[in-house]
Amino acid sequence: MAAPLTLLLIVAVTIRAVLYRSSLAELIAERVEVVSPITAWKRVIEGLALLDLGVSPYSGDVFHETPLIIYLFHFLVDYAEITFMLADVITAVALYFAVRDYNKKVFRKQKFALEADRYPHDCLELIRRPKEMFYIPLKVAMFYLLNPFTILSCVAKSTCGLNNAVISLFILTTIKGNVLLSAVFLCLATYQSIYPLTLCAPAMLYLMQHQFIPVNFRRVSFWWFVTQYLFMFLGSLLVLTCLSFFLLGSWDYMSSVYGFILSVPDLTPNIGLFWYFFAEMFEHFRLFFLCVFQINVFFYTIPLSIKLKEHPVFLMFMQLAVISIFKSYPTVGDTALYLAFLPVWGHLHRFLRNIFLVSCVLLACSALFPVLWHLWIYAGSANSNFYYAITLLFNVAQILLVSDYFYAFLRREHHLTSGLYLKKKDGSEATLVLK
Amino acid sequence: MGLLSDPNRRRALISMLTRLNAPICMLCYCAGVCWFMGLAFEPFTLRTYMSENAMGSTMVEERFPAGERALATAREFAAHKKKVGGMPVDWLVKTMQARGLEVFTQSFSRVLPFPDENKERYIVKGTNVYGILRAPRAPRTEALVLSAPCSPGDNNNQAVGLLLGLAHYFRNQIYWAKDIIFLVNEHDLIGMQAWLEGYHHTNTTGMKWTPLQGRGGSIQAALSLELSSDVITSLDIVLEGLNGQLPNLDLANLFYAFCQKIGVLCTIQGRLQRNDWDSVSGYSHAVQTMMLMVMKQASGRPWGDHGLFLRYHIEAATISGINSFRQYKTDLTTTGRSDLYRLVEGMYRKLNNLLERLHQSYFFYLMPSLTHFVSIGYYMPAFGLLAVILLLRALDLWVQLVAPPARTEDGIAEIEQQSSPGVRSVLTPLIISHLTGAALYLMPVHFQEMAVEHFPVSETEAVVLTAIAVYTAGLALPHNTHRLVSGEGTEQGWRVLKLVAVLYLAVLLGCTALINFSLGFILALTMVPVAAFVTPDVPKVLSAIVFVILSPACTLLFSVFLFQELQDMPVSLQDGWMLYISVISQGILDHYLFGSLVYPLIALMVYPCWLLFWNILFWK
């Protein structure tokens, strides 16, 4: 499997290198769908310039990345293109190994269940086969590397690529069962953009499953593990924040990075839901709705964790999707990360209901974004409502996609316990409805 | 959400849509065409009205006195033009300075990618002269532009005379709140492009020009004048700009309002409006006017010097004087009744009252007459009905692709077998047809020298004929490549390819229609039937002929004939062919000179998409 992966990496790097050299790179770097005020490379350059002049990069309202990023690029600014390509490669490779391990585990679990004769007999067609599972890791890497969204994001040098790399390393270490590294990478991801905090729940669930600790609030071992994990997580977070403080010698970055993410002062249009809503709102409602919108991102953790506590990796996918849909400054790079997981759930396809509709809408929206932007900004003949309508449609399609997978996953699990051909009490064929 | 989550109702709906797919598609197509034709029917259209308060309610009085002098200036200009044999730059500078303007010049040069045979130019060098009248009443942050092209020969002298006359008159008035820029541009659109790029510090087309020495505020609106005779019978307003962009409808309303006030005949597309909408001839008149607008818009060309302003978010229109053989003529010379001058003066005074850019009225509209318009909400359904056909076909194909294997005994094994060649047999035609498209885009201009060396043709002909040759070669080249890749064309394979192609076409046409409705609609009209009903099982020869007839290139050919017919200038086949060649060369030139998007769109997207359907036809 090494050869196809290498080939894939070479192809992906070549595409990116070619695009970096073309005139498209500049155009892409300006697109609001690809870069947000946080991740824009132009702003990183500005921060670097300020840093070189001995001014705090956070003075002024341009730079909003974390101190570690600016120090990273302080050394790597000449190799920025290579760094971003490397970040994509790391993400893809990490996802590849993570998914391979996860699939092994799924297969082993299925084997035990089959041996214990736990599945109903009419469910044999739901059983996953090694032949179909063999190519999934490669497909995941391909979905990530060759996804136009990822390519655009990389060519625009959006720092979103680095965040994705950190998150995928977190996923890899979690699936490998390494508690300390998992906590450290989760902490790095949280430090970068706050929202990955919600990935804490799936990580702990997975690691507990890995170490055979029951998820039970009355067990000491459960609380002991949670304390351990949180200690590691918060400890490394403390180290990181202090490190950032010592690097810059001030706490400026707190308000400028996290305050910026949470209070959403920059209403530049993007593919998210925040900008239009807050641009239209009366000022005195702002705080209230800000809280509502931000809590919305974090809130899904609780119901999803309860429902999916047996399936932490699927939970992780759901969380990534929720973050990328509801975060304050989403870009297509965030979307690309969770889209990379779709091949892992390829076996759910027979239960998906809206996949055709949703993929058509996503496709159309991706094409319409630049068109409506052109009509609004350059031609002046359309207005922001046109653009926001597409944003809304894009997000609705994403939500439908995710909930469709959620439904399909739950339905498969249901069939695995109670048989594929469900009968109503009167003997007619029953259908499952998600309400 | 019931429809999305209730499986029973979904199944019922989908089975109905697949069962009745063909009739519904036919119905949609007819409905789309009927809807479009209905747009010109007067009771279905809206009457134009002035939306902008700053221009609607305020009164202005026009009292331009010096018609005679303006005509004399025009004669003087003509004489100097003849003497210099081009644009009399020094005389213009001197005259403008004498009128009290700040005068600047800008020189520019441009080598065309290939010689333009229509206007007989290849290496273009020229000078723009413009004078700025500084606003006495306001902080000079905004400006209006009045331009007149200095055309070769005897054309347009009166426009320059009018411009200079107005400059003289405006200078003495105190109510100007916006800078007024009087621009005389040489080599029409090329000069205009140079001036606008210089004014806005952009360079999108690689033209060489000297930077502007003086500039006014941000330009709010612009008018371009075209007058070639001393006597005019009516005034025509031209709205269609680059890439089918239109100025705010209020500009047309303003023009109409003043024509009414002053009592000048006004036309759009050179056609008067008629009141007998309920008669057949009245309706066909409206349809023809609208069709002319649709075809002009679809061409994506700037149809007057104003066309390039629109790109910079400046509302602009061209006003041209028409001298036709009618009994009542408006005489430019009669002092006190010099209607045209008063019209332009009045329009500028109203524009001067603007508090913000024109934005109240519509930007997306079609005009079956100058008094009636169709807004985007009314014409989009016509396109929507055509686009729905594609989506219905896609749904049908999807159902066919997904449904049968799930029911068979060993379904999974079958899917495995068929899906992997499916992906490859889709990717190969996609890549090959796009490469053909790229060749169509790049080859004509880059290989013109080689073509000229080897064939007895001129450069322009070489470009066009290369384009046609590549286009035709594309028909022969890719239609059985999938067999090389995957052996035998599978049943599943062409369905997947058709699904991809249909969705591609739908997205492509949708985006096109948003930017340029007319182009999107014309392409949809010809490509949708082909896309909807192509399968490898239809009779080859007959459908191949239909295919070629409905291909983008033939659509253009028919459009040329139809356009001539609508303009009451029918052409013979021979002339039509020559015209066709010149239209193609103009389209390519427009792309390289002004950044028109029609040529790359057709070459890089529409043509490859059409090739995909061609591919399906020859699948087996």
Side-chain angles (χ1 to χ4, degrees):
Chain A
M1 281 301 275
L5 184 65
T6 323
L7 189 68
L8 174 68
L9 293 180
I10 292 171
V11 169
V13 168
T14 318
I15 293 174
R16 284 161 173 74
V18 167
L19 281 175
Y20 273 129
R21 297 282 163 274
S22 76
S23 58
L24 283 175
E26 252 177 72
L27 189 78
I28 294 169
E30 297 284 319
R31 300 296 317 163
V32 285
E33 296 88 9
V34 182
V35 296
S36 71
I38 299 179
T39 60
W41 177 247
K42 227 160 96 179
R43 295 179 182 245
V44 176
I45 294 287
E46 175 72 12
L48 279 174
L50 288 175
L51 191 69
D52 286 344
L53 292 172
V55 186
S56 161
Y58 298 103
S59 56
D61 191 35
V62 175
F63 181 67
H64 299 289
E65 260 297 352
T66 51
L68 277 192
I69 288 284
I70 199 168
Y71 271 93
L72 175 73
F73 282 113
H74 190 66
F75 300 108
L76 291 178
V77 70
D78 295 333
Y79 310 102
E81 291 174 5
I82 296 173
T83 315
F84 282 106
M85 289 197 273
L86 201 65
D88 274 9
V89 168
I90 288 173
T91 315
V93 173
L95 287 179
Y96 176 85
F97 285 111
V99 168
R100 203 174 66 173
D101 276 29
Y102 170 67
N103 270 349
K104 266 184 207 158
K105 209 180 142 214
V106 167
F107 193 66
R108 205 179 310 134
K109 211 164 121 190
Q110 183 180 288
K111 209 169 90 186
F112 289 145
L114 274 178
E115 279 165 7
D117 211 8
R118 226 177 287 154
Y119 294 138
H121 291 288
D122 56 353
C123 281
L124 282 181
E125 50 186 292
L126 291 185
I127 302 297
R128 306 184 61 191
R129 289 165 173 72
K131 194 178 149 200
E132 128 232 16
M133 287 167 81
F134 184 66
Y135 286 106
I136 287 179
L138 190 68
K139 278 188 197 162
V140 169
M142 198 153 83
F143 255 59
Y144 187 75
L145 282 180
L146 300 185
N147 188 339
F149 287 166
T150 324
I151 296 175
L152 288 179
S153 185
C154 181
V155 172
K157 297 189 207 162
S158 157
T159 51
C160 178
L162 300 179
N163 298 356
N164 284 352
V166 172
I167 293 175
S168 62
L169 283 174
F170 153 73
I171 294 169
L172 176 66
T173 48
T174 312
I175 286 178
K176 288 270 181 200
N178 191 328
V179 183
L180 177 66
L181 278 180
S182 158
V184 168
F185 279 116
L186 179 62
C187 155
L188 260 173
T190 313
Y191 168 82
Q192 276 297 102
S193 63
I194 299 190
Y195 295 113
L197 182 64
T198 58
L199 294 177
C200 202
M204 280 197 279
L205 284 173
Y206 187 91
L207 290 168
M208 277 191 274
Q209 215 179 59
H210 192 76
Q211 301 181 357
F212 305 109
I213 302 169
V215 184
N216 187 335
F217 293 118
R218 272 167 297 195
R219 298 288 276 273
V220 184
S221 57
F222 169 79
W223 288 110
W224 173 236
F225 180 81
V226 171
T227 325
Q228 256 183 330
Y229 193 83
L230 286 184
F231 179 74
M232 283 185 249
F233 174 67
L234 293 175
S236 36
L237 200 59
L238 189 72
V239 170
L240 272 183
T241 38
C242 290
L243 181 68
S244 313
F245 171 70
F246 290 122
L247 280 176
L248 289 173
S250 82
W251 291 107
D252 279 354
Y253 76 92
M254 278 294 192
S255 62
S256 201
V257 178
Y258 305 117
F260 187 77
I261 294 174
L262 290 177
S263 70
V264 202
D266 192 321
L267 298 180
T268 315
N270 55 30
I271 59 168
L273 298 165
F274 276 67
W275 63 274
Y276 187 83
F277 200 76
F278 284 94
E280 294 289 313
M281 196 185 311
F282 289 121
E283 197 56 36
H284 55 274
F285 294 126
R286 190 184 160 88
L287 185 65
F288 173 70
F289 278 104
L290 205 57
C291 295
V292 172
F293 268 61
Q294 296 287 12
I295 289 171
N296 182 39
V297 190
F298 295 97
F299 181 74
Y300 294 105
T301 320
I302 300 166
L304 287 177
S305 314
I306 294 169
K307 190 73 198 169
L308 293 172
K309 70 179 179 204
E310 300 294 321
H311 312 284
V313 176
F314 189 74
L315 176 58
M316 221 178 263
F317 161 73
M318 292 291 293
Q319 290 285 12
L320 283 175
V322 166
I323 291 173
S324 83
I325 297 168
F326 293 115
K327 75 189 282 196
S328 48
Y329 300 104
T331 59
V332 290
D334 298 307
T335 314
L337 183 63
Y338 85 81
L339 287 183
F341 275 91
L342 293 187
V344 183
W345 321 119
H347 59 287
L348 300 179
H349 273 201
R350 59 179 298 167
F351 297 122
L352 292 176
R353 299 162 308 167
N354 300 324
I355 188 72
F356 176 65
L357 179 75
V358 167
S359 35
C360 286
V361 172
L362 283 179
L363 196 78
C365 284
S366 318
L368 285 174
F369 271 129
V371 169
L372 288 171
W373 181 262
H374 170 85
L375 285 182
W376 172 23
I377 300 296
Y378 295 103
S381 39
N383 54 38
S384 58
N385 300 329
F386 288 59
Y387 191 74
Y388 186 63
I390 292 305
T391 313
L392 214 52
L393 201 58
F394 186 67
N395 281 307
V396 167
Q398 286 191 77
I399 292 167
L400 273 180
L401 178 76
V402 172
S403 53
D404 217 13
Y405 269 95
F406 184 59
Y407 165 83
F409 191 85
L410 291 183
R411 185 165 163 194
R412 180 170 179 271
E413 291 303 314
H414 184 78
H415 282 312
L416 282 181
T417 53
S418 53
L420 185 57
Y421 298 108
L422 302 172
K423 294 271 191 268
K424 276 186 198 157
K425 278 193 189 123
D426 58 355
S428 62
E429 202 176 310
T431 47
L432 285 180
V433 179
L434 184 73
K435 283 202 170 148
Chain B
M1 293 301 281
L3 204 59
L4 289 178
S5 57
D6 183 349
N8 295 326
R9 262 189 280 168
R10 282 163 58 92
R11 207 172 296 145
L13 182 75
I14 288 176
S15 77
M16 191 197 77
L17 285 181
T18 44
R19 211 155 17 91
L20 297 176
N21 205 287
I24 293 179
C25 288
M26 301 279 253
L27 198 69
C28 280
Y29 190 80
C30 297
V33 175
C34 290
W35 188 295
F36 180 75
M37 296 312 281
L39 291 177
F41 191 50
E42 205 171 294
F44 297 160
T45 58
L46 297 173
R47 218 186 145 72
T48 52
Y49 56 94
M50 190 74 87
S51 300
E52 176 62 61
N53 288 329
M55 295 198 312
S57 56
T58 50
M59 297 296 288
V60 293
E61 189 188 3
E62 323 75 39
R63 43 185 179 196
F64 183 78
E68 192 75 58
R69 189 182 321 155
L71 217 51
T73 320
R75 293 208 185 94
E76 203 178 333
F77 171 75
H80 278 91
K81 189 161 104 177
K82 198 168 275 175
K83 201 167 75 185
V84 181
M87 181 143 134
V89 177
D90 296 332
W91 180 83
L92 269 173
V93 170
K94 213 168 67 210
T95 321
M96 280 194 185
Q97 268 165 353
R99 303 236 182 322
L101 305 179
E102 287 177 33
V103 187
F104 306 95
T105 58
Q106 179 202 29
S107 52
F108 58 88
S109 67
R110 169 85 214 217
V111 182
L112 271 52
F114 55 89
D116 180 356
E117 285 186 350
N118 278 26
K119 291 180 175 152
E120 291 170 354
R121 56 190 182 190
Y122 181 45
I123 299 170
V124 177
K125 278 201 179 84
T127 314
N128 294 324
V129 180
Y130 65 102
I132 305 176
L133 169 61
R134 297 293 179 187
R137 285 286 281 267
R140 299 171 182 176
T141 52
E142 295 174 340
L144 302 172
V145 172
L146 178 63
S147 78
C150 171
S151 320
D154 266 344
N155 292 330
N156 249 348
N157 296 335
Q158 282 76 5
V160 178
L162 170 62
L163 179 123
L164 292 171
L166 280 171
H168 182 68
Y169 174 69
F170 282 5
R171 178 74 181 81
N172 298 324
Q173 309 306 321
I174 45 137
Y175 38 66
W176 299 114
K178 296 176 174 36
D179 292 343
I180 297 181
I181 300 173
F182 297 91
L183 168 67
V184 181
N185 53 318
E186 200 176 357
H187 298 296
D188 45 61
L189 282 162
I190 297 181
M192 191 54 95
Q193 169 87 2
W195 190 80
L196 279 169
E197 285 189 350
Y199 200 90
H200 294 100
H201 287 298
T202 54
N203 197 337
T204 50
T205 52
M207 188 191 282
K208 284 193 192 67
W209 36 259
T210 55
L212 298 187
Q213 298 301 318
R215 66 184 71 236
S218 88
I219 302 172
Q220 304 290 305
L223 286 184
S224 175
L225 296 173
E226 279 173 17
L227 284 180
S228 296
S229 69
D230 291 355
V231 181
I232 56 165
T233 52
S234 62
L235 288 176
D236 187 56
I237 184 161
V238 185
L239 300 169
E240 298 85 3
L242 187 68
N243 292 328
Q245 218 181 326
L246 300 170
N248 195 299
L249 186 58
D250 268 345
L251 204 63
N253 296 340
L254 184 68
F255 171 75
Y256 179 69
F258 271 99
C259 285
Q260 290 300 100
K261 184 178 176 191
I262 292 168
V264 188
L265 278 182
C266 51
T267 61
I268 186 159
Q269 323 296 354
R271 285 160 171 269
L272 290 164
Q273 59 268 30
R274 288 166 59 156
N275 296 322
D276 54 341
W277 56 265
D278 43 356
S279 71
V280 175
S281 70
Y283 170 70
S284 90
H285 183 82
V287 169
Q288 286 174 12
T289 315
M290 189 176 75
M291 278 312 290
L292 272 173
M293 176 152 188
V294 165
M295 301 190 92
K296 280 186 180 179
Q297 196 188 10
S299 74
R301 310 193 54 192
W303 285 83
D305 278 3
H306 72 282
L308 297 172
F309 280 98
L310 298 171
R311 170 159 49 185
Y312 297 91
H313 208 333
I314 299 166
E315 308 314 321
T318 295
I319 296 178
S320 55
I322 292 177
N323 181 14
S324 69
F325 303 101
R326 292 215 169 83
Q327 60 265 64
Y328 30 78
K329 302 200 174 193
T330 309
D331 199 343
L332 284 178
T333 52
T334 325
T335 325
R337 276 196 63 251
S338 48
D339 298 333
L340 178 57
Y341 304 106
R342 284 171 47 215
L343 178 106
V344 177
E345 186 203 351
M347 285 183 78
Y348 271 83
R349 288 204 58 187
K350 285 260 185 171
L351 289 171
N352 184 46
N353 286 341
L354 279 184
L355 296 175
E356 44 190 334
R357 276 177 199 281
L358 287 173
H359 66 280
Q360 303 271 19
S361 195
Y362 296 85
F363 284 96
F364 298 102
Y365 52 87
L366 294 176
M367 299 190 92
S369 75
L370 199 49
T371 49
H372 284 84
F373 74 102
V374 187
S375 76
I376 182 165
Y378 289 83
Y379 66 61
M380 263 308 179
F383 173 78
L385 283 168
L386 296 186
V388 151
I389 297 174
L390 295 177
L391 297 183
L392 283 176
R393 295 310 290 187
L395 183 74
D396 188 33
L397 282 167
W398 174 259
V399 171
Q400 283 177 14
L401 279 173
V402 172
R407 296 278 166 254
T408 52
E409 300 295 310
D410 49 356
I412 297 154
E414 256 182 34
I415 303 170
E416 285 284 300
Q417 227 173 17
Q418 296 194 336
S419 68
S420 53
V423 172
R424 253 189 308 169
S425 60
V426 169
L427 263 185
T428 329
L430 257 180
I431 292 173
I432 288 181
S433 55
H434 276 91
L435 286 180
T436 321
L440 179 60
Y441 176 66
L442 293 173
M443 294 254 283
V445 172
H446 288 273
F447 288 89
Q448 50 168 316
E449 282 168 24
M450 202 192 284
V452 171
E453 252 172 55
H454 291 91
F455 300 100
V457 286
S458 72
E459 267 107 339
T460 318
E461 278 174 338
V463 170
V464 177
L465 294 178
T466 319
I468 294 175
V470 174
Y471 190 95
T472 325
L475 302 188
L477 176 72
H479 65 249
N480 48 15
T481 40
H482 64 276
R483 271 180 240 167
L484 294 176
V485 182
S486 55
E488 190 54 41
T490 55
E491 196 66 10
Q492 207 79 343
W494 73 261
R495 290 225 167 85
V496 175
L497 179 62
K498 188 174 169 188
L499 180 67
V500 170
V502 163
L503 286 178
Y504 181 23
L505 185 65
V507 171
L508 181 63
L509 290 180
C511 291
T512 313
L514 269 176
I515 292 181
N516 185 342
F517 166 77
S518 306
L519 182 62
F521 187 78
I522 290 180
L523 285 176
L525 213 53
T526 52
M527 288 182 75
V528 164
V530 163
F533 292 104
V534 59
T535 58
D537 307 323
V538 291
K540 288 272 163 347
V541 181
L542 186 70
S543 36
I545 292 169
V546 174
F547 248 78
V548 171
I549 288 176
L550 291 178
S551 81
C554 288
T555 310
L556 180 63
L557 184 64
F558 301 141
S559 303
V560 169
F561 281 107
L562 182 61
F563 185 72
Q564 291 300 322
E565 198 67 41
L566 286 173
Q567 284 207 318
D568 300 330
M569 288 185 285
V571 286
S572 65
L573 278 181
Q574 182 72 31
D575 293 344
W577 177 252
M578 295 314 288
L579 204 59
Y580 179 62
I581 287 180
S582 93
V583 162
I584 294 177
S585 76
Q586 290 300 315
I588 298 176
L589 267 182
D590 278 345
H591 170 60
Y592 284 100
L593 291 181
F594 315 121
S596 153
L597 291 175
V598 175
Y599 173 56
L601 179 83
I602 299 285
L604 296 175
M605 315 279 262
V606 177
Y607 172 61
C609 191
W610 182 84
L611 275 184
L612 289 179
F613 293 111
W614 182 256
N615 213 318
I616 295 168
L617 183 63
F618 292 98
W619 189 258
K620 281 174 183 162

